[in-house]
Amino acid sequence: MFWAGIIGVVVTMLLAMVSAFRGPTVLDRILAVNSLGTCTILLIAVSGFLTGRPEWLDLAILYALVNFSGTIAVLKFVKFNDLGHGEEEVG
């Protein structure tokens, strides 16, 4: 039963990759890459369960944090063309 889940997640990942390449706008591509990251988290968690390695769930949680932070950083860069603090002058 879990193998069907893994196959479904892999098919969803392939569709997300196609959407990331074909997306009409940058925001659609960012959303597709974020969905791909979410599917990767599911794949890590299910694979860890199937192989009897519960510590993979910790890796999946860490990857979720990195995926979320990366998505926020990319969205900020797309909106402001800068990852800095904006209009503040240094020095």
Side-chain angles (χ1 to χ4, degrees), residues 6-7 11 14 42 44-45 54 59 74 84:
I6 286 181
I7 291 170
V11 169
L14 291 173
L42 288 172
I44 291 170
L59 294 174
V74 169

Side-chain angles (χ1 to χ4, degrees), residues 20-43:
F21 286 119
R22 290 184 35 173
T25 65
V26 174
L27 296 178
D28 290 330
R29 290 179 175 160
I30 292 171
L31 180 64
V33 171
N34 190 19
S35 297
L36 183 66
T38 302
C39 289
T40 304
I41 295 163
L42 288 172
L43 188 66

